[in-house]
Amino acid sequence: MNLRELDRAHVIHPHAVVGRPEDPVVWVRGDGARLWDADGNEYVDGTCGLWQCAVGHGRVELAEAAAAQMRELEFYASFWNFANEPSIRLAARIAQLAPAGLEHVFFTNGGSEGVETAIKLVRLAWHAQGRPDRNVVLSRKSAYHGVGSASLAATGIPPLKEGFGPLAPGFVHLSTPTSSTTVDELVAELEQTIETIGPERIAAMIGEPVLGVGGMIPPPEGYWPRVQEVLRAHGILLVVDEIVTAYGRTGHWFASERYGLDPDAIVTAKALTSGYVPMGAVLVHDRLVGMLEGTQFRHGFTYNGHPVGAAVALANLAIIEREDLLGRAVEIGARMLDRLQPAQELDAVAEVRGVGAMLGVELAADRDSGPVARAALGKGVVVRASGQKIVMSPPLVISEEDADRIVDVLLGELAAL
Ligand code: PLP
């Protein structure tokens, strides 16, 4: 059997229809923003796969960092008082890059585990304060927070939850902040919701600074500071899901800086290692640690603080800094957004939007973005279909030529709708 047949026979792919395997694209190599499949076809990567590869594909430096660490110590647990040098250095480096007060780091293998961790932390913090009934978590419609029982409960995209119930209880979803909503309306809804539930029952609010999977939806101007003000007034904690936005994608190390946020916890993953090794990190503020003082955190994943992941993350963060990929995210994102503007004139397109190197094209109400993404793939350009939206998040190292190719192919497909 060839690779494709073996894949169809044995691999269950995320988000695929069970028992109806599609013909796979078998990726074999990557370099910068280019990818090659097993048939030798070349592609421009407009999504990083799942928005993780800030530094691009094929970085030998990261392979060497992993190999060097594996030769020294491949892995040992980080439970209790066990530690390893790369994860200690990485925690200190993240704390140095993070907004003030986020001095503490809990490592994970990825995003969902980080959200599960953050939700447990905020609920435990109130429990430790003698307030176990303060456990409701506010989230938003269109949010994506992962696939665990609590992170999926926090997610606000109903089809993703279908058939998996019962999920963790205690999650309430507010309206999606879009360009057609006003900050006053959204804040009034938040205040009303807090009043209805009772602030004494609400542990925290969780939110992505820019809704990613939901369609690259930037919040209306001034949204986050106002939301933060209301939460503060009621003592409600704020967890910011920066799994997509952290480590450069919006032109800042953390999008929380961009939106004037002072979170109690920030969840990160993806670009922490650019995806070369699965690893995430939950950043925890002194305030939250203060609430938890003296409480045992009975929670941990076998691979917490993996030394190979941490060694790769340190080398990856060094590349992001050295090559000024924060500046590059702004530059390349602005270029793509500008060149995508003509799509706005098409009947098939409702809105073109973006922040940094996160870009989205929302199709008109009755349109499906799947055929657009499939047609682009046939032309050697990878973009992602998400319901009625096309979303893009290229490697931050992408050249202008490759970025233009993505936009040109996409404009062609949109015009043909
Ligand atoms: N939160 C956000 C905002 C995400 O975009 C994702 C994944 O795309 C997750 C959480 C879940 O992360 P993971 O797939 O690593 O579990």
Side-chain angles (χ1 to χ4, degrees), residues 51 110-113 115 144-147 208 213 241 243-244 269-270:
W51 15 53
S112 301
E113 288 184 358
V115 173
Y144 184 72
H145 294 299
V147 296
E208 298 156 82
V213 176
D241 180 343
I243 288 161
V244 169
K270 300 199 190 261

Side-chain angles (χ1 to χ4, degrees), residues 139-145 154-157 160 173 176 208 211 214:
S139 182
R140 280 104 40 92
K141 293 174 184 156
S142 308
Y144 184 72
H145 294 299
T155 292
I157 304 174
L160 296 180
H173 293 83
T176 311
E208 298 156 82
L211 289 156

Side-chain angles (χ1 to χ4, degrees), residues 6 47 77 127 145 154 177 248 262 323 389-390:
L6 287 169
T47 65
H127 184 90
H145 294 299
D262 174 25
E323 298 185 3
K389 297 124 187 170
I390 294 285

